[in-house]
């Protein structure tokens, strides 16, 4: 598998220490690296369910190129040794479900800031390259959200498009604990940036804008806690699978741009294989063409699920809930997230491809195939009295 970078130079096989490799993004990145590149992965996580198909059976074509290490990076002395063995470290490990930000703010801050510190330190001290996963949430709210509701400036992209090197980070007050995650991610970004400036750390920071697709999060009561609240794709999938109404938080007026995980992984592979173009940069990775309100997302998912499952939709498919009822005290929301694509386009020539309709159809087909039977069985079981 001879591979060339964007400047035509041949790429030598790398060893990658991937922390959080057992999660949603990690599982897709491992799959891509095994199927299409000669690179080796040291896969670190506390869970391996989402990459089991890549680890077993040992007769797989890439056996020997992926090694799983069950490690909690909070307290494991093997971490530095594994970072030293690799050419590049990719850190994906985090608590990153909004339901946790206001209800488990300490765990959220420790996970996203404190636990990432040794990773940055070991990379810096050992002169190892780092690709760190941050979030689009570091932008917080748009400037436009503070304008009067009827201001024509709200339609001006200068007031809402999010640019890596120009937009401010605007969070709510401390009592809105929702922002504990964004704030921890912002501080680790600043620390990594400073390690680059003062100590020469070679780094790339990724800001994902709502990457979605198969294997994202969990379906409550099936492969995750029945009281757990995953991100919106899994919440809505769960409701559709159970023939329940989709819950719209505070009217479902917030806007998001969704990108297909497989498009986004292409961007990450370009960063891995083009260090000279990616080092020292912060990249938005999203699809500005796929914007919807959460209400529109619910309507679209309802329509598509009905098509892939062959089941008629409910007469009233959605229900409004308050954020306090759904997430508890201290929730707040990002109003709108449109990524500026100038930097990633210029550095890596990357653009997203998949439309929202197509990515939802592929994802809901997967959700139906994977979970419909298990849900039916779980729902037909008598409830313990
Ligand atoms: P995920 O929860 O599926 O994956 C994170 C993985 O990290 C999990 O498998 C978890 O077990 C592991 N992990 C957490 N703490 C760990 C620890 N102490 N030791 C070892 N492993 C640990 O989430 P994801 O969607 O794959 O996100 C990956 C990264 O991307 C996160 O940093 C997240 O903040 C960022 N991100 C993702 C999105 C998105 O759209 N999916 C959006 C913004 C930011
Ligand atoms: N949301 C919703 N119903 C749900 C789950 C989420 O209306 O069942 C909303 C949530 O309030 C937010 C948006 O959907 O406005 C996206 O939420 P998600 O958890 O995916 O993460 P975010 O994009 O906020 O980081």
């Amino acid at each position: 598998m001879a591979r060339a970078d964007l400047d035509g130079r041949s790429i030598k096989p790398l060893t990658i220490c991937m922390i959080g490799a057992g999660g949603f993004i990690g599982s897709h990145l491992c799959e891509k690296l095994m199927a299409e590149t000669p690179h080796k992965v040291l896969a670190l996580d506390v869970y391996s369910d989402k990459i089991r198909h890549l680890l077993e059976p040992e007769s797989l074509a890439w056996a020997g190129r992926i090694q799983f290490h069950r490690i909690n990076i909070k307290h494991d002395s093997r971490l530095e040794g594994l970072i030293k063995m690799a050419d590049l470290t990719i850190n994906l490990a985090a608590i990153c479900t909004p339901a946790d930000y206001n209800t488990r703010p300490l765990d959220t801050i420790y996970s996203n800031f404190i636990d990432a510190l040794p990773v940055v330190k070991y990379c810096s001290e050992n002169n190892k390259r780092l690709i760190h996963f941050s979030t689009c949430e570091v932008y917080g709210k748009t400037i436009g959200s503070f304008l009067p509701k009827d201001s024509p400036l709200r339609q001006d992209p200068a007031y809402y498009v999010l640019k890596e090197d120009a937009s401010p980070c605007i969070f709510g007050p401390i009592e809105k604990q929702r922002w504990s995650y964004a704030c921890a991610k912002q501080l680790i970004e600043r620390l990594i940036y400073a390690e680059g400036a003062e100590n020469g750390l070679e780094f790339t920071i990724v800001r994902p804008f709502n990457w979605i697709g198969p294997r994202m999060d969990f379906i409550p009561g099936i492969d995750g806690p029945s009281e757990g609240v995953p991100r919106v794709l899994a919440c809505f999938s769960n409701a559709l699978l159970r023939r329940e109404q989709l819950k719209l938080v505070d009217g479902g007026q917030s806007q998001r741009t969704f990108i297909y995980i497989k498009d986004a992984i292409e961007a990450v592979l370009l960063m891995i294989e083009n260090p000279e173009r990616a080092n020292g940069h912060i990249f938005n990775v999203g699809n500005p063409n796929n914007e919807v309100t959460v209400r529109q997302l619910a309507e679209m998912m309802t329509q598509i699920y009905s098509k892939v499952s062959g089941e008629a939709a409910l007469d009233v498919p959605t229900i409004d809930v308050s954020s306090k009822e759904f997430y508890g005290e201290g929730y707040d929301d990002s109003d709108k997230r449109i990524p500026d694509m100038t930097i990633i386009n210029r550095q890596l020539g990357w653009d997203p491809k998949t439309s929202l309709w197509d990515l939802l159809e592929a994802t809901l087909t997967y959700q139906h195939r994977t979970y419909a039977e298990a849900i039916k069985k779980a729902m037909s079981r008598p409830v313990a009295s």
Side-chain angles (χ1 to χ4, degrees):
M1 274 190 269
R3 294 179 67 77
D5 69 16
L6 290 170
D7 299 300
R9 288 174 295 229
S10 72
I11 297 165
K12 71 170 181 26
L14 300 166
T15 299
I16 300 169
C17 173
M18 195 189 299
I19 307 169
F24 164 56
I25 297 176
S27 72
H28 286 273
L29 188 52
C30 286
E31 232 169 42
K32 181 89 171 172
L33 289 165
M34 291 305 110
E36 294 177 26
T37 80
H39 307 312
K40 285 189 185 154
V41 174
L42 307 172
L44 281 58
D45 206 306
V46 283
Y47 301 111
S48 57
D49 304 19
K50 294 184 184 183
I51 51 170
R52 188 163 295 139
H53 62 294
L54 300 173
L55 305 172
E56 295 164 6
E58 288 200 3
S59 57
L60 288 165
W62 49 76
R65 282 203 291 118
I66 182 163
Q67 234 179 52
F68 180 67
H69 299 262
R70 194 172 302 280
I71 281 182
N72 184 337
I73 62 162
K74 269 185 195 302
H75 40 67
D76 201 303
S77 57
R78 289 171 293 175
L79 180 62
E80 184 171 14
L82 289 160
I83 288 176
K84 277 185 174 170
M85 278 167 67
D87 304 293
L88 159 70
T89 293
I90 301 181
N91 190 8
L92 294 148
I95 287 179
C96 52
T97 35
D100 292 317
Y101 308 162
N102 59 315
T103 54
R104 299 169 58 203
L106 282 177
D107 287 341
T108 301
I109 294 167
Y110 271 80
S111 168
N112 284 283
F113 181 66
I114 306 285
D115 299 347
L117 283 176
V119 177
V120 180
K121 179 168 163 264
Y122 296 147
C123 286
S124 192
E125 287 173 355
N126 295 290
N127 297 317
K128 298 291 183 181
R129 185 176 172 222
L130 171 66
I131 298 182
H132 186 83
F133 272 71
S134 179
T135 171
C136 60
E137 208 164 306
V138 294
Y139 294 109
K141 295 171 185 263
T142 64
I143 310 172
S145 70
F146 294 91
L147 293 167
K149 283 266 177 290
D150 55 356
S151 167
L153 290 177
R154 278 184 176 243
Q155 309 309 317
D156 180 344
Y159 290 84
Y160 62 78
V161 172
L162 303 169
K163 295 183 195 249
E164 298 93 327
D165 54 354
S167 299
C169 301
I170 308 175
F171 306 153
I174 304 299
E175 65 186 31
K176 295 284 184 195
Q177 295 203 78
R178 156 70 187 240
W179 303 108
S180 58
Y181 169 73
C183 192
K185 286 281 203 199
Q186 187 197 153
L187 191 53
I188 198 76
E189 278 200 23
R190 289 191 186 274
L191 184 105
I192 292 168
Y193 196 90
E195 278 290 347
E198 292 189 31
N199 295 325
L201 172 69
E202 291 184 357
F203 73 87
T204 302
I205 289 170
V206 187
R207 291 182 179 165
F209 280 66
N210 293 79
W211 299 10
I212 62 175
R215 294 198 292 271
M216 185 169 195
D217 298 339
F218 57 90
I219 296 298
I222 302 296
D223 54 7
S226 23
E227 298 309 312
V229 180
R231 287 170 283 188
V232 69
L233 174 83
C235 285
F236 285 178
S237 301
N238 184 39
L240 291 165
L241 284 153
R242 293 177 190 273
R243 294 188 66 69
E244 291 170 1
Q245 289 175 307
L246 281 59
K247 293 181 177 163
L248 298 178
V249 172
D250 292 339
Q253 290 314 304
S254 297
Q255 292 169 296
R256 295 289 188 270
T257 48
F258 293 94
I259 178 171
Y260 194 32
I261 181 70
K262 291 187 195 294
D263 288 355
I265 291 296
E266 297 272 351
V268 182
L269 186 56
L270 284 166
M271 293 175 208
I272 293 173
E273 297 195 324
N274 292 275
E276 287 172 20
R277 286 166 174 258
N279 283 347
H281 286 284
I282 299 177
F283 291 116
N284 286 344
V285 181
N287 188 336
N289 308 317
N290 281 349
E291 188 182 40
V292 277
T293 62
V294 174
R295 180 178 290 277
Q296 288 165 333
L297 175 75
E299 286 162 1
M300 224 167 157
M301 285 181 66
T302 303
Q303 207 183 335
I304 295 172
Y305 190 72
S306 173
K307 183 179 164 203
V308 303
S309 67
E311 292 166 11
L314 298 181
D315 290 340
V316 184
T318 60
I319 183 168
D320 285 349
V321 294
S322 72
S323 55
K324 193 166 171 196
E325 214 179 312
F326 192 79
Y327 287 113
E329 208 67 65
Y331 182 74
D332 199 355
D333 209 351
S334 301
D335 53 304
K336 184 175 176 79
R337 293 179 180 158
I338 306 264
D340 182 86
M341 296 273 93
T342 311
I343 297 183
I344 193 158
N345 202 273
R346 182 188 70 213
Q347 293 303 117
L348 301 171
W350 175 86
D351 267 317
K353 300 187 193 85
T354 313
S355 70
L356 186 56
W357 182 276
D358 288 353
L359 77 86
L360 287 176
E361 187 162 347
T363 306
L364 287 174
T365 302
Y366 170 89
Q367 303 287 54
H368 182 67
R369 199 179 57 227
T370 310
Y371 294 109
E373 277 309 309
I375 295 251
K376 262 192 206 122
K377 267 194 207 138
M379 290 179 72
S380 63
R381 249 180 253 137
V383 185
S385 55

